[in-house]
Amino acid sequence: MEPRAINEQLAVSPQIDPKDIPEIAMLGFRSVICNRPDGEGADQPTFEEVEAAAKKAGLEARYLPVVSGKVQDEDAKAFKAALDELPKPVFAYCRTGTRSATLWSLAQAGTLPVADILASTKKAGYDMAGVVRRIVNGGRTPTETAEDARFDVVIVGGGAAGISVASSLASRKHGLNIAIIDPADVHYYQPGWTMVGGGIFQAPQTAKTMASLIPAGVHWIKSAVAAFEPKDNAVVLDGCRVVKYDRLVVCPGLKLDWHKVDGLVDTLGRNGVTSNYRYDLAPYTWQLVQGMKEGRALFTQPPMPIKCAGAPQKALYLSADHWTRSGTIGNIDIQFMNAGGVLFGVKDYVPALMKYIERYNANLNYFHNLVAIDGQAKKATFEVKEPEKDVRQVEVEFDMIHVTPPQTAPDFIRVSPLADAAGWVDVDQATLRHKTFDNIWSLGDVMNAPNAKTAAAARKQAPVVAENIVSDIDGHSAVAQYDGYGSCPLTVEKGKIVLAEFGYGGALLPSFPRWLIDGTKPSHTAWLLKERILPPIYWKAMLRGKEWMAKPEKVTAA
């Protein structure tokens, strides 16, 4: 809960939980307005749950749902009416608080001066410039406004995929007017977090400011996306600002759904609960590993898809290697809790990995999905779904647990017209072009091609998308195709890696001759690649459009 005062009568907030209601009442609020439709997010409580808690606390509750990025004048009128009717002060919320602030701003049109509306919302941390523009324009919707920003190519997401494709585009076609939309201040080299958790890297080595990485000449729009309007070639930002495009690239990455595991958020970073999937937690992993002399260590893997399917077991291997070197491995019960039914999805690499599972005396528990955790009691609850057996739950005690969170497409993607039935951006798996909207492409973790979601995959995808967009601009068909390449350097011990490289259907796609690196066997050369070569390649080549070993194959139409 994060109440932000608009004025003495109203505060707005991001999504709340029913258990926040008593505190809201203690703060003096007398009414609650929900502006978020039920079912918008997987981890979202229903209004009925919030309303029940509100009634129990003596508060009135009102449900005024509004679709993100599509606030209408009648919605603002209903919001104003609710403010007039409900006991004050009022607490309003949505996913981020932006819709509630937008509704208030539109409701004040003709009542408060524009400057006062901007001042009140800015004080609360919301930029309502786009809404004020809408008011000044006499109520026209944002996509009807002539002065909307327009670009040749708009890229949603400034992660590995977004910056790489921007650089690849700029290097291929000079003069393109390109914009990247991303609200983050910091860009992370996420593949490095496994190494941080294993004591190899320091966390600051994996972070740089976003401003230092945006390619020269590319516009950076520091904002979150609320919605897509592909029929109007428009992206709606939080606050109703609109950006128009000729061509769109969608690559915002995945959503880590920490809330999907009951109790996890309350205990992360303490009580022996950690995860290498977060910058601030990976150092805690190493702290726990160093401090552990005996007891039980759990390593979890949720249902697919996830970023880098090998990362959960990488944490296990590096931890077990340290315990082996320190002489404590015999005192530690290592359990790998995998929601899936295999150790690794490409069978050619499994024999080498199984040797390390046996070396570390780790126990494999398949079909075990983490659903709840009690950090103080040091107990984890798993739902077990074994084939042809009844679903059951088991409780496992731990001294340390490394959690890989459930992962989904971001909410604004899943509810958009770009998504398939499962919520992923719907693309042709070869050209990475959208199946319905032919001026939209997608790459990285958010699209639905059946490839591994890794940074190495994005490194190969970025040139394919750039090549095909330039070809499209020049009036030609797609000329580059993606073969599903992904890579997972499995850190089986300090100094050795099983370098898994594969494409669609699990086909092996090695980058190096077998005499140099045999990916099916642990290799010190592969370790040197991971530790010393790949980070500078990421920062100085991939993000700058230098496509070392990544130039796409071109196909000629028959």
Side-chain angles (χ1 to χ4, degrees):
M1 185 188 63
E2 190 182 343
R4 305 176 188 180
I6 298 291
N7 54 34
E8 292 181 356
Q9 302 298 318
L10 174 69
V12 302
S13 168
Q15 176 70 52
I16 64 170
D17 190 89
K19 66 184 179 183
D20 295 324
I21 291 293
E23 185 178 350
I24 292 171
M26 285 180 60
L27 290 172
F29 292 98
R30 299 177 62 197
S31 305
V32 175
I33 298 177
C34 172
N35 296 128
R36 190 180 187 192
D38 281 348
E40 187 178 72
D43 57 345
Q44 172 191 352
T46 65
F47 172 70
E48 184 178 352
E49 294 172 302
V50 173
E51 183 182 35
K55 286 182 178 179
K56 187 175 180 180
L59 305 183
E60 289 198 32
R62 188 74 59 88
Y63 186 47
L64 297 174
V66 178
V67 176
S68 179
K70 296 185 179 181
V71 180
Q72 304 298 320
D73 290 342
E74 53 266 31
D75 298 321
K77 290 177 183 177
F79 188 81
K80 186 177 187 304
L83 289 181
D84 291 341
E85 297 166 8
L86 290 169
K88 299 174 185 59
V90 176
F91 185 102
Y93 72 92
C94 56
R95 183 179 70 86
T96 65
T98 299
R99 271 169 277 183
S100 300
T102 299
L103 286 163
W104 177 84
S105 300
L106 291 173
Q108 306 313 306
T111 302
L112 287 180
V114 166
D116 289 353
I117 296 174
L118 280 174
S120 296
T121 52
K122 185 176 181 180
K123 181 180 67 174
Y126 296 97
D127 178 8
M128 292 291 115
V131 177
V132 167
R133 187 182 67 183
R134 174 172 166 179
I135 294 170
V136 172
N137 285 335
R140 287 183 292 169
T141 60
T143 50
E144 294 171 324
T145 305
E147 58 269 25
D148 285 325
R150 176 179 282 278
F151 299 91
D152 297 327
V153 181
V154 168
I155 300 168
V156 174
I163 291 181
S164 297
V165 79
S167 295
S168 289
L169 276 167
S171 67
R172 280 173 168 77
K173 196 169 186 68
H174 300 295
L176 272 182
N177 193 14
I178 303 170
I180 291 176
I181 302 174
D182 197 299
D185 291 305
V186 180
H187 178 105
Y188 296 104
Y189 176 55
Q190 295 182 30
W193 292 348
T194 291
M195 303 291 266
V196 174
I200 315 299
F201 291 172
Q202 296 297 311
Q205 292 176 254
T206 68
K208 292 184 185 293
T209 62
M210 186 73 80
S212 69
L213 298 173
I214 300 292
V218 172
H219 302 268
W220 176 26
I221 301 174
K222 192 174 180 293
S223 181
V225 170
F228 296 93
E229 295 183 352
K231 292 181 180 178
D232 294 317
N233 295 329
V235 176
V236 182
L237 308 182
D238 269 355
C240 289
R241 183 183 173 196
V242 167
V243 177
K244 295 285 193 72
Y245 58 82
D246 292 332
R247 289 165 183 84
L248 176 68
V249 181
V250 183
C251 47
L254 290 181
K255 172 186 175 182
L256 302 183
D257 202 350
W258 303 98
H259 287 277
K260 199 165 185 179
V261 178
D262 188 37
L264 177 58
V265 171
D266 297 329
T267 194
L268 272 171
R270 54 197 179 93
N271 299 319
V273 182
T274 189
S275 179
N276 290 343
Y277 275 77
R278 240 172 59 182
Y279 173 82
D280 60 322
L281 294 177
Y284 183 53
T285 302
W286 180 231
Q287 179 185 330
L288 291 172
V289 170
Q290 287 181 295
M292 192 166 182
K293 308 303 179 186
E294 61 181 1
R296 178 178 290 154
L298 305 183
F299 298 83
T300 76
Q301 179 169 310
M304 293 295 161
I306 62 171
K307 293 187 202 184
C308 187
Q313 57 187 290
K314 292 182 196 180
L316 183 157
Y317 297 136
L318 285 179
S319 300
D321 178 68
H322 174 78
W323 295 324
T324 300
R325 293 170 189 269
S326 64
T328 59
I329 188 75
N331 302 324
I332 298 175
D333 175 17
I334 302 173
Q335 302 284 337
F336 187 48
M337 319 299 285
N338 186 353
V342 295
L343 180 61
F344 194 72
V346 182
K347 60 180 177 57
D348 299 76
Y349 302 104
V350 172
L353 299 177
M354 280 302 302
K355 288 182 180 179
Y356 279 91
I357 291 293
E358 293 163 4
R359 174 190 292 189
Y360 299 134
N361 198 27
N363 296 290
L364 299 178
N365 302 277
Y366 294 123
F367 308 110
H368 282 60
N369 183 33
L370 181 67
V371 294
I373 189 164
D374 184 337
Q376 289 188 328
K378 291 189 176 295
K379 293 181 179 179
T381 302
F382 294 87
E383 186 175 72
V384 183
K385 290 185 176 180
E386 296 175 296
E388 300 180 2
K389 292 185 179 181
D390 292 338
V391 177
R392 57 191 172 91
Q393 287 196 344
V394 296
E395 193 174 79
V396 183
E397 295 182 349
F398 64 85
D399 295 283
M400 166 191 166
I401 182 170
H402 177 275
V403 177
T404 301
Q407 297 166 38
T408 66
D411 296 343
F412 70 94
I413 294 291
R414 290 190 294 110
V415 301
S416 78
L418 308 184
D420 65 9
W424 306 97
V425 180
D426 194 17
V427 300
D428 177 271
Q429 70 177 44
T431 64
L432 305 183
R433 193 176 202 163
H434 198 276
K435 291 180 181 177
T436 303
F437 305 103
D438 61 8
N439 64 338
I440 296 178
W441 286 259
S442 183
L443 70 156
D445 297 341
V446 79
M447 54 85 168
N448 67 353
N451 65 288
K453 297 182 183 297
T454 67
R459 184 172 67 87
K460 288 276 194 169
Q461 293 160 6
V464 170
V465 170
E467 194 78 44
N468 287 340
I469 287 177
V470 169
S471 180
D472 186 60
I473 291 172
D474 293 340
H476 305 303
S477 300
V479 294
Q481 294 200 352
Y482 171 57
D483 58 7
Y485 176 86
S487 175
C488 187
L490 291 141
T491 48
V492 289
E493 63 175 291
K494 186 176 180 180
K496 287 190 178 180
I497 275 175
V498 171
L499 183 59
E501 294 182 283
F502 46 89
Y504 289 136
L508 301 193
L509 296 176
S511 299
F512 305 95
R514 196 160 186 167
W515 60 264
L516 180 60
I517 298 178
D518 181 352
T520 64
K521 297 177 181 178
S523 162
H524 180 63
T525 303
W527 175 271
L528 295 177
L529 180 72
K530 169 77 172 176
E531 181 188 20
R532 300 184 187 178
I533 299 174
L534 289 182
I537 285 176
Y538 181 85
W539 296 117
K540 297 178 181 180
M542 176 177 170
L543 298 186
R544 296 183 182 178
K546 298 174 182 177
E547 298 162 5
W548 179 67
M549 298 182 72
K551 287 192 179 297
E553 294 184 10
K554 296 184 181 181
V555 296
T556 304

